[in-house]
Amino acid sequence: MSLLVRAESDGSLLLESKINPNTAYQKQQEDEKFLTDLFAQLTDEATDEEKRQELVNFLKEFCAFSQTLQPQNRDAFFKTLSNMGILPALEVILGMDDTQVRSAATDIFSYLVEYNPSMVREFVMQEAQQNDDVSKKLTEQKITSKDILLINLIIEHMICDTDPELGGAVQLMGLLRTLVDPENMLATANKTEKTEFLGFFYKHCMHVLTAPLLANTTEDKPSKDDFQTAQLLALVLELLTFCVEHHTYHIKNYIINKDILRRVLVLMASKHAFLALCALRFKRKIIGLKDEFYNRYIMKSFLFEPVVKAFLNNGSRYNLMNSAIIEMFEFIRVEDIKSLTAHVIENYWKALEDVDYVQTFKGLKLRFEQQRERQDNPKLDSMRSILRNHRYRRDARTLEDEEEMWFNTDEDDMEDGEAVVSPSDKTKNDDDIMDPISKFMERKKLKESEEKEVLLKTNLSGRQSPSFKLSLSSGTKTNLTSQSSTTNLPGSPGSPGSPGSPGSPGSVPKNTSQTAAITTKGGLVGLVDYPDDDEDDDEDEDKEDTLPLSKKAKFDS
């Protein structure tokens, strides 16, 4: 009904303007003729500058007023503007020299991008396709065309912003970031907006964005290092860093083919610390991807050299530059990026070895030496994995399965004198063990085999028959050894004076030794005496009498 203006302090009415139902406020959204005339006057070169400025400001307020509408009505409003040709009109307005008109047009463009970035992307891609078709025809006629795309106009206005604080450039950079953000791009079954638009952007627009960067980094230090130029290049680097983070092969191909990272690192020599930090952040984002294509490019061009120079020039000052550089090298160490670790140590260790207030560089050297050690001794990795696996407790289910397999094994399958070995131990491969440990294990096995032979000869030469089946295990070595020591006493095992001879004067009473088990199988009888280590074993013997002798010995172990 009316437009009201109230005071912020007490809410009193300052201005009231009644709205006539016949005015444009009520009818302009529905009146296509009004919008058609509006855009025609805006783009007409014959329109007076003052009149054009009034029309642009009116359109700006009109778009701002739409923010108070309901979503459904706001959608209808912007669709109507799009159908009436607001984007071509803005392209013409942005190309004019009047800064106030361009500023108002930028605000209108921001409303459109925030409302529907896909609509803007579709327009600029169609415009590029039309320009390509026109350029082909003009090329055939040997006529040059200098049509500028809408998005390139935005980039140029960002680069050419005359505001010392670059307020307009910051606003335009935010709009560009919204347009190139894959998160708000649509994907359908027939087309992928991300693929199409990024292909268009890197073909037609990226060279315009990087032009001030390339122009200012032709030498070892920035050509222009004033504050406003540094601010502008910082904005460009911020957008490029965003592209590295969110785009994939498009930005990778562009950086490597155009040697962008080397140009960016020239800015590390800037007198403005914020610009040098922006360049360092750009490289840190690339390293954070852990992409070997980027790593090979960095090593091939020796792109750590500007960073190391900046670190050494910074000296012992504890500031943001110092911390940021150390953090980058610490990331390489912690993530164990082998290629970059070797490159840094091989080329820059002499310059960094005296830095001892942090352990980052010494840690990198240690990583490098470990890497060389693994290369010289390939078995080291397998040995460390074996030790790492045995460091943890084995699964209880695995133990139960192995015990069941052992109890199901037929005694006839084992040869005389064969040691009882668990199934998991049989599967180990001695080739996976390091040479020093393998030699130690061989000496240990040789010693054990000699002890077994001595025990066998001693027992078989005494009271054992040649057909007696004896199974040795680690659990019975102590018992058999103590038994063999008794055979060294005066008297043979079968002599009357022998302690083991039944009925002899020196025989041991029954309560000092126990008969462990007597197993009869195929007419063979096996008898093994165990020392009386614990009187409680009497209760367990009855349960074990049903087991074969060799399996009982394993069970006791």
Side-chain angles (χ1 to χ4, degrees):
M1 297 298 295
S2 63
L3 297 178
L4 305 178
V5 179
R6 296 185 179 274
E8 295 182 357
S9 58
D10 56 0
S12 61
L13 185 62
L14 300 178
L15 177 65
E16 180 179 4
S17 177
K18 296 291 184 182
I19 297 178
N20 191 323
N22 295 324
T23 60
Y25 286 103
Q26 289 289 342
K27 291 189 173 182
Q28 60 194 1
Q29 189 170 347
E30 301 174 359
D31 192 354
E32 295 183 0
K33 185 177 182 303
F34 171 82
L35 294 175
T36 303
D37 294 341
L38 174 63
F39 293 135
Q41 293 182 42
L42 282 173
T43 56
D44 189 0
E45 296 181 357
T47 303
D48 184 70
E49 294 296 330
E50 185 177 354
K51 177 66 174 179
R52 181 180 287 110
Q53 185 175 346
E54 291 179 355
L55 293 174
V56 171
N57 289 333
F58 167 77
L59 186 58
K60 172 185 173 182
E61 294 179 2
F62 197 29
C63 292
F65 177 74
S66 69
Q67 303 302 306
T68 63
L69 299 175
Q70 295 295 327
Q72 183 177 358
N73 295 332
R74 185 166 63 251
D75 292 345
F77 170 76
F78 281 107
K79 286 181 181 178
T80 303
L81 290 181
S82 177
N83 294 333
M84 292 296 100
I86 188 173
L87 286 172
L90 287 177
E91 187 173 8
V92 175
I93 297 171
L94 288 171
M96 296 180 177
D97 296 332
D98 193 334
T99 56
Q100 294 183 353
V101 171
R102 288 206 311 260
S103 176
T106 301
D107 293 336
I108 297 171
F109 183 73
S110 66
Y111 284 120
L112 296 174
V113 172
E114 292 173 1
Y115 163 70
N116 191 351
S118 295
M119 178 183 70
V120 179
R121 284 191 286 259
E122 183 178 1
F123 169 77
V124 296
M125 285 190 293
Q126 290 177 354
E127 182 186 28
Q129 184 63 40
Q130 293 173 0
N131 288 347
D132 289 343
D133 295 340
V134 172
S135 298
K136 290 180 181 179
K137 294 180 181 180
L138 294 178
T139 301
E140 294 175 357
Q141 300 174 6
K142 298 183 179 180
I143 300 176
T144 59
S145 175
K146 197 177 180 180
D147 293 332
I148 299 179
L149 301 176
L150 173 60
I151 194 168
N152 285 344
L153 273 175
I154 299 298
I155 296 175
E156 288 184 358
H157 287 320
M158 183 188 77
I159 295 173
C160 300
D161 189 7
T162 57
D163 183 7
E165 300 297 330
L166 296 182
V170 173
Q171 180 186 11
L172 293 174
M173 192 275 293
L175 297 177
L176 289 173
R177 184 165 57 184
T178 302
L179 290 175
V180 300
D181 187 359
E183 298 297 328
N184 58 46
M185 295 183 182
L186 303 177
T188 61
N190 297 327
K191 68 174 184 177
T192 303
E193 185 180 15
K194 176 181 177 181
T195 302
E196 293 181 358
F197 181 76
L198 291 183
F200 154 80
F201 182 79
Y202 281 89
K203 179 180 179 181
H204 295 91
C205 308
M206 183 58 84
H207 66 282
V208 181
L209 178 64
T210 57
L213 171 67
L214 299 178
N216 205 40
T217 55
T218 55
E219 300 176 358
D220 294 337
K221 61 181 181 178
S223 303
K224 295 176 60 178
D225 204 16
D226 57 278
F227 180 75
Q228 189 168 357
T229 302
Q231 277 189 311
L232 174 62
L233 293 178
L235 289 177
V236 174
L237 285 179
E238 183 177 349
L239 190 56
L240 290 177
T241 304
F242 179 85
C243 293
V244 169
E245 184 178 4
H246 292 86
H247 302 169
T248 53
Y249 58 91
H250 291 95
I251 187 65
K252 184 195 304 182
N253 292 337
Y254 190 83
I255 289 175
I256 295 177
N257 293 333
K258 301 295 183 179
D259 199 14
I260 295 296
L261 182 56
R262 184 179 66 82
R263 294 296 193 93
V264 169
L265 292 177
V266 172
L267 301 178
M268 293 285 294
S270 172
K271 65 182 180 181
H272 301 284
F274 70 89
L275 181 58
L277 288 170
C278 286
L280 182 63
R281 187 186 307 116
F282 180 74
K283 181 174 181 177
R284 173 65 176 82
K285 189 66 67 175
I286 290 176
I287 293 176
L289 298 176
K290 297 188 286 188
D291 189 319
E292 281 302 315
F293 286 99
Y294 277 130
N295 294 344
R296 286 194 291 269
Y297 163 62
I298 291 173
M299 293 184 294
K300 181 179 179 181
S301 301
F302 294 92
L303 296 182
F304 274 103
E305 183 174 347
V307 178
V308 174
K309 283 184 178 180
F311 180 74
L312 297 177
N313 292 335
N314 188 72
S316 59
R317 288 177 292 175
Y318 180 65
N319 51 20
L320 191 56
M321 176 64 70
N322 177 276
S323 300
I325 294 177
I326 291 176
E327 189 277 333
M328 183 178 67
F329 286 109
E330 180 69 14
F331 176 82
I332 296 174
R333 185 192 69 83
V334 172
E335 296 296 326
D336 195 15
I337 305 178
K338 297 179 175 57
S339 56
L340 295 184
T341 299
H343 175 75
V344 170
I345 297 302
E346 289 175 353
N347 295 278
Y348 308 105
W349 171 244
K350 291 184 178 180
L352 301 172
E353 62 179 343
D354 294 333
V355 180
D356 55 0
Y357 55 88
V358 291
Q359 299 302 313
T360 298
F361 301 107
K362 289 182 171 58
L364 275 176
K365 183 69 182 309
L366 179 61
R367 288 279 194 189
F368 175 73
E369 292 174 350
Q370 291 173 347
Q371 181 179 339
R372 282 293 181 88
E373 185 179 355
R374 286 193 293 266
Q375 292 176 352
D376 296 338
N377 191 355
K379 295 182 180 180
L380 184 62
D381 280 341
S382 59
M383 183 57 200
R384 287 179 175 172
S385 63
I386 292 174
L387 296 177
R388 191 162 48 245
N389 292 335
H390 282 279
R391 188 182 305 165
Y392 304 100
R393 181 179 178 181
R394 298 169 63 189
D395 192 355
R397 291 174 295 182
T398 305
L399 294 174
E400 293 176 359
D401 294 341
E402 292 182 358
E403 289 178 0
E404 185 176 354
M405 292 175 60
W406 182 82
F407 280 109
N408 291 335
T409 305
D410 191 358
E411 189 177 6
D412 292 337
D413 295 337
M414 295 184 293
E415 298 179 359
D416 293 348
E418 180 184 3
V420 179
V421 183
S422 63
S424 62
D425 294 337
K426 292 181 180 180
T427 60
K428 293 180 180 178
N429 189 358
D430 293 337
D431 294 337
D432 294 336
I433 302 178
M434 294 172 53
D435 292 340
I437 297 181
S438 61
K439 293 179 180 179
F440 172 76
M441 295 301 294
E442 290 177 1
R443 290 195 298 268
K444 184 177 179 181
K445 290 179 180 179
L446 180 60
K447 183 178 179 180
E448 291 178 356
S449 62
E450 291 176 354
E451 291 178 354
K452 292 177 184 178
E453 292 177 0
V454 172
L455 292 176
L456 286 173
K457 290 179 180 180
T458 304
N459 288 310
L460 292 177
S461 63
R463 57 187 176 183
Q464 301 287 353
S465 64
S467 61
F468 181 75
K469 303 185 72 173
L470 178 63
S471 177
L472 295 176
S473 66
S474 61
T476 61
K477 287 179 183 178
T478 305
N479 297 333
L480 292 178
T481 304
S482 62
Q483 195 176 32
S484 65
S485 64
T486 60
T487 61
N488 295 330
L489 298 175
S492 63
S495 62
S498 173
S501 178
S504 62
S507 62
V508 181
K510 290 184 178 180
N511 57 356
T512 61
S513 63
Q514 299 175 354
T515 302
I518 298 177
T519 304
T520 303
K521 186 172 183 179
L524 297 177
V525 178
L527 179 62
V528 179
D529 291 340
Y530 289 87
D532 188 8
D533 293 336
D534 192 349
E535 294 180 358
D536 294 336
D537 292 341
D538 295 336
E539 297 177 3
D540 297 332
E541 288 183 4
D542 296 335
K543 299 178 182 179
E544 298 171 2
D545 286 340
T546 58
L547 295 175
L549 177 60
S550 60
K551 293 184 178 179
K552 178 181 178 302
K554 175 61 178 178
F555 184 78
D556 289 340
S557 65

